[in-house]
């Protein structure tokens, strides 16, 4: 049982009246009558709230796993079994990782009725999140006391790489109207090597695909229909070293890369390619050979969930040796990493050039958006102009890195964390369309 603020106000008023009755003696018996009346009302309020053993039923409904970096819904349901309207104060014991200590929801529930509400949580790290009790404090219209109910004992939710983002981009594998999701269309250059069938010509077909022999036999225009080459191995290679520890909007660059890898692998599998995974820092911590089964995305998701790193320096020599030993077939390698200085790229460039000789290598690294905002600010003092000059120099170094990689035939993606998944899928679709793998 808990006393409400109203109870303390009433007790304070009675104390004040007793104090005044020291000088106004005639007031003294009326104050005692008021005390007795308050006690009776207090007893009635107590009887009303504690008259039922289970006067209210509450529950918390949420998914078995949360999506990292996305808003996940939590639904609270309440059922009032009292014969009068109650006022509820709901305090949910949210996992400490959210650092949300002010959760407090107030609702009024009519007699013998149900209500519900939903709130959202956005996790910023993978791992286990433990929910505590769902505390519901109820009071009647008298509101002198509150009764506490506790529901839903401790419950653990696992936060996985962003499967919400994966589902968002999932339609790309089924719908060619990719611009709906902000993914640009890529013009096909030539044909891929897989022949599918010969069909009748319809308006809009490529006239360069006309099969003249079939046309002569059939007496009507016939064309060759091609399809994207299938069952090609594609790997997401994630650098889990200290350069990926940099935060952006609460998530580290590593988690952005993990979320993007899951979405990309799902698209590749649905495009009937084979998706694989490699995670490295000073050693190779995880390796999944490429497979094309749709159920394989669950294995990839579980592996990405379990990525743990001490954020040590990356060893590209170890990466090259592992790729040379384990990946013998020409494959598409998407390398998620980050270079802040040109000298950092120069140290790893020999390994990247060697990888690019046998495989289609795409190096993905990040723009520093903080520098962009600094460059665009108007400089009004010498220190500000100096800072903008340094920021501009760093931004130019990123562009220089892109040109240096392209000089050796290495595909590059320089992107922001928000656009990482979109730009990665764009590059994959472009490579598939051009047939250069």
């Amino acid at each position: 049982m808990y006393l409400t603020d109203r109870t303390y106000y009433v007790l304070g008023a009675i104390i004040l009246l007793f104090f005044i009755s020291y000088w106004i003696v005639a007031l003294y018996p009326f104050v005692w009558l008021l005390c007795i009346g308050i006690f009776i009302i207090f007893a009635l309020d107590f009887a009303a709230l504690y008259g039922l053993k289970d006067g209210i039923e509450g529950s918390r409904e949420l998914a078995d796993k949360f999506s990292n970096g996305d808003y996940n819904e939590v639904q609270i349901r309440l059922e009032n079994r009292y014969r009068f309207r109650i006022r509820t104060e709901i305090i949910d014991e949210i996992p400490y990782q959210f650092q949300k200590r002010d959760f407090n929801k107030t609702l009024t529930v009519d007699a013998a009725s149900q209500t519900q509400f939903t709130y959202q949580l956005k996790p910023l790290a993978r791992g286990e999140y433990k929910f505590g009790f769902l505390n519901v404090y109820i009071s009647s219209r008298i509101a002198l006391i509150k009764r506490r109910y506790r529901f839903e004992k401790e419950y653990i939710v696992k936060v996985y790489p962003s499967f919400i983002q994966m589902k968002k981009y999932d339609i790309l594998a089924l719908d060619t109207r990719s611009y709906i999701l902000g993914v640009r269309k890529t013009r096909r250059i030539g044909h891929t090597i897989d022949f599918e069938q010969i069909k009748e010509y319809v308006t809009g077909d490529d006239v360069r695909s006309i099969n003249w022999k079939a046309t002569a036999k059939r007496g009507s225009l016939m064309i060759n229909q091609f399809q994207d080459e299938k069952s090609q191995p594609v790997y997401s290679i994630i650098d889990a070293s200290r350069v990926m520890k940099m935060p952006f909007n609460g998530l580290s660059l590593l988690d952005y890369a993990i979320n993007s890898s899951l979405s990309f692998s799902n698209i590749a599998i649905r495009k009937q390619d084979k998706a694989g995974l490699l995670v490295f820092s000073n050693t190779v911590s995880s390796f999944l050979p490429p497979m094309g089964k749709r159920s394989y995305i669950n294995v990839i998701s579980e592996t990405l969930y379990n990525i743990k790193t001490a954020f040590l320096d990356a060893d590209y020599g170890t990466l090259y040796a592992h790729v040379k030993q384990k990946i013998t077939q020409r494959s598409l390698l998407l390398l998620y990493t980050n270079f802040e200085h040109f000298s950092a790229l120069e140290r790893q460039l020999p390994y990247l050039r060697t990888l690019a000789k046998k495989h289609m290598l795409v190096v993905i690294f990040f723009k520093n958006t903080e520098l962009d905002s600094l460059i665009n600010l108007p400089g009004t003092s010498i220190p500000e102009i100096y800072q903008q000059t340094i920021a501009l120099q760093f931004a130019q170094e990123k562009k220089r890195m892109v040109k240096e990689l392209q000089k050796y035939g290495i595909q590059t993606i320089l992107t922001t964390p928000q656009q990482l998944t979109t730009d990665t899928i764009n590059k994959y679709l472009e490579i598939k369309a051009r047939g250069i793998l």
Side-chain angles (χ1 to χ4, degrees):
M1 185 180 67
Y2 298 84
L3 301 180
T4 65
D5 292 343
R6 181 179 296 182
T7 302
Y8 290 104
Y9 294 146
V10 171
L11 292 176
I14 291 175
I15 292 171
L16 181 61
L17 289 174
F18 271 117
F19 184 73
I20 295 173
S21 68
Y22 181 78
W23 291 280
I24 307 175
V25 180
L27 186 61
Y28 185 75
F30 293 102
V31 178
W32 271 111
L33 289 175
L34 180 61
C35 283
I36 295 172
I38 295 300
F39 179 79
I40 294 173
I41 294 174
F42 188 92
L44 291 174
D45 198 13
F46 180 87
L49 292 179
Y50 286 85
L52 288 178
K53 182 179 179 180
D54 299 316
I56 190 170
E57 183 66 33
S59 63
R60 179 203 300 125
E61 296 182 4
L62 66 167
D64 293 333
K65 58 182 182 179
F66 277 1
S67 177
N68 191 25
D70 300 307
Y71 286 101
N72 300 264
E73 289 191 350
V74 180
Q75 188 175 74
I76 304 296
R77 294 180 181 271
L78 294 177
E79 179 185 357
N80 179 14
R81 296 173 180 174
Y82 289 102
R83 296 182 180 180
F84 54 87
R85 178 185 295 182
I86 60 172
R87 183 178 181 272
T88 64
E89 185 179 349
I90 303 162
I91 300 177
D92 197 2
E93 296 179 0
I94 295 173
Y96 71 89
Q97 290 96 328
F98 294 106
Q99 294 296 297
K100 191 176 179 65
R101 301 183 177 91
D102 58 349
F103 185 92
N104 194 320
K105 180 73 173 179
T106 302
L107 291 174
T108 300
V109 188
D110 292 330
S113 64
Q114 297 181 356
T115 188
Q116 65 183 36
F117 71 93
T118 301
Y119 67 92
Q120 294 181 324
L121 295 173
K122 183 180 180 180
L124 298 175
R126 290 165 290 114
E128 293 185 348
Y129 287 60
K130 183 167 67 175
F131 284 82
F133 286 97
L134 174 65
N135 301 279
V136 182
Y137 299 83
I138 67 167
S139 58
S140 65
R141 292 184 179 181
I142 300 174
L144 290 179
I145 62 173
K146 291 190 291 187
R147 181 180 179 182
R148 185 183 72 173
Y149 287 90
R150 304 188 82 180
F151 306 102
E152 302 291 348
K153 294 182 180 180
E154 293 182 350
Y155 185 78
I156 294 178
V157 173
K158 292 184 177 181
V159 175
Y160 276 77
S162 181
F163 53 83
I164 290 180
Q165 178 179 273
M166 181 189 73
K167 293 176 182 177
K168 171 185 173 184
Y169 288 97
D170 195 31
I171 194 173
L172 289 179
L174 307 173
D175 195 344
T176 57
R177 296 173 296 173
S178 305
Y179 60 88
I180 296 174
L181 295 175
V183 179
R184 66 177 181 269
K185 288 184 173 181
T186 303
R187 183 172 64 89
R188 293 183 179 275
I189 301 175
H191 295 305
T192 52
I193 62 173
D194 282 0
F195 172 79
E196 185 176 13
Q197 63 176 346
I198 300 175
K199 72 179 189 70
E200 290 189 6
Y201 174 86
V202 296
T203 304
D205 285 337
D206 190 351
V207 295
R208 295 174 298 175
S209 301
I210 295 177
N211 187 321
W212 294 109
K213 290 184 178 180
T215 297
K217 293 180 179 179
R218 188 71 177 268
S220 60
L221 285 175
M222 305 293 290
I223 67 167
N224 296 326
Q225 187 174 34
F226 297 87
Q227 62 180 358
D228 290 334
E229 186 178 359
K230 299 177 182 179
S231 298
Q232 295 174 305
V234 294
Y235 287 85
S236 296
I237 302 178
I238 301 177
D239 180 355
S241 66
R242 62 184 180 86
V243 297
M244 298 293 279
K245 191 177 178 62
M246 182 182 296
F248 182 85
N249 285 348
L251 285 176
S252 67
L253 295 183
L254 176 62
D255 278 310
Y256 279 105
I258 288 172
N259 290 345
S260 176
S261 298
L262 182 63
S263 298
F264 164 74
S265 299
N266 182 59
I267 292 293
I269 289 174
R270 287 189 171 274
K271 286 287 187 181
Q272 299 184 14
D273 282 334
K274 294 182 289 185
L277 178 68
L278 192 154
V279 182
F280 79 103
S281 56
N282 60 319
T283 61
V284 175
S285 56
S286 299
F287 177 75
L288 291 178
M291 292 186 64
K293 297 179 180 179
R294 292 193 179 183
S295 59
Y296 198 54
I297 198 67
N298 297 324
V299 179
I300 294 175
S301 177
E302 198 68 35
T303 304
L304 292 172
Y305 167 78
N306 288 309
I307 289 179
K308 294 179 176 63
T309 173
F311 291 105
L312 302 173
D313 288 332
D315 187 343
Y316 278 77
T318 300
L319 170 65
Y320 167 72
H322 192 89
V323 170
K324 183 178 180 181
Q325 180 182 4
K326 298 292 185 179
I327 307 178
T328 56
Q329 181 181 354
R330 179 174 170 82
S331 307
L332 172 61
L333 309 180
L334 296 181
L335 173 60
Y336 295 87
T337 186
N338 196 35
F339 300 109
E340 286 297 329
H341 306 282
F342 190 81
S343 58
L345 173 64
E346 282 184 317
R347 289 195 299 270
Q348 314 303 344
L349 191 57
Y351 298 110
L352 299 179
R353 290 177 60 185
T354 307
L355 287 174
K357 288 180 180 179
K358 185 173 181 181
H359 304 282
M360 171 61 64
L361 177 62
V362 180
V363 177
I364 307 168
F365 56 108
F366 298 89
K367 295 180 181 178
N368 193 327
T369 53
E370 295 294 330
L371 294 181
D372 292 340
S373 60
L374 183 59
I375 292 171
N376 295 327
L377 287 175
T380 56
S381 64
I382 293 179
E384 289 179 350
I385 294 174
Y386 177 78
Q387 291 173 357
Q388 287 181 335
T389 303
I390 298 299
L392 185 60
Q393 180 180 351
F394 276 106
Q396 291 297 327
E397 271 204 359
K398 292 279 187 176
K399 296 179 181 179
R400 184 184 169 198
M401 293 177 200
V402 172
K403 292 182 179 179
E404 185 70 14
L405 289 168
Q406 290 177 344
K407 183 170 72 175
Y408 297 106
I410 301 173
Q411 300 284 328
T412 59
I413 300 175
L414 177 60
T415 183
T416 61
Q418 307 102 308
Q419 289 294 117
L420 175 61
T421 302
T422 301
D423 290 343
T424 302
I425 295 175
N426 272 335
K427 177 61 71 171
Y428 167 69
L429 295 177
E430 177 188 345
I431 291 172
K432 292 287 289 183
R434 294 173 61 188
I436 58 177
L437 178 57

